[in-house]
Amino acid sequence: MTIRMAATHAIHKAREAVDFAYNTAGATAIFDGHPLERRFRDIHTVTQQLQGRFSHFETVGAWMLGVDADLSFV
């Protein structure tokens, strides 16, 4: 459970860091040749897939509180 919580948290913190860099880079970051363009797409893709689902926080929280939780993705 702690690994699931830590991994999901790390994914979302990485997204925040990439978003900050992307926004700081300005308009040039939207073009295919810019290194941040690909990283922006990659990190946002990960947050939408299984490993980055926000529902993991709910699952871990329920487990920590002793409530029945769907543990199929843990």
Side-chain angles (χ1 to χ4, degrees), residues 2 7-11 20 27 35-36 42 47 50 55 59 65-66 68 74:
T2 56
T8 303
H9 178 72
I11 288 168
F20 178 80
L36 284 173
D42 288 349
T47 63
L50 179 64
S55 64
T59 302
L65 292 171
D68 286 336
V74 176

Side-chain angles (χ1 to χ4, degrees), residues 30-59:
I30 67 171
F31 298 109
D32 286 339
H34 198 283
L36 284 173
E37 187 274 333
R38 177 60 186 256
R39 287 159 179 88
F40 180 86
R41 282 188 296 125
D42 288 349
I43 193 62
H44 281 269
T45 299
V46 171
T47 63
Q48 297 304 310
Q49 293 177 348
L50 179 64
Q51 294 299 321
R53 294 170 40 174
F54 268 121
S55 64
H56 291 312
F57 293 122
E58 295 173 24
T59 302

Side-chain angles (χ1 to χ4, degrees), residues 11-24:
I11 288 168
H12 287 279
K13 287 300 176 182
R15 181 196 45 80
E16 288 178 20
V18 171
D19 283 353
F20 178 80
Y22 184 83
N23 290 325
T24 302

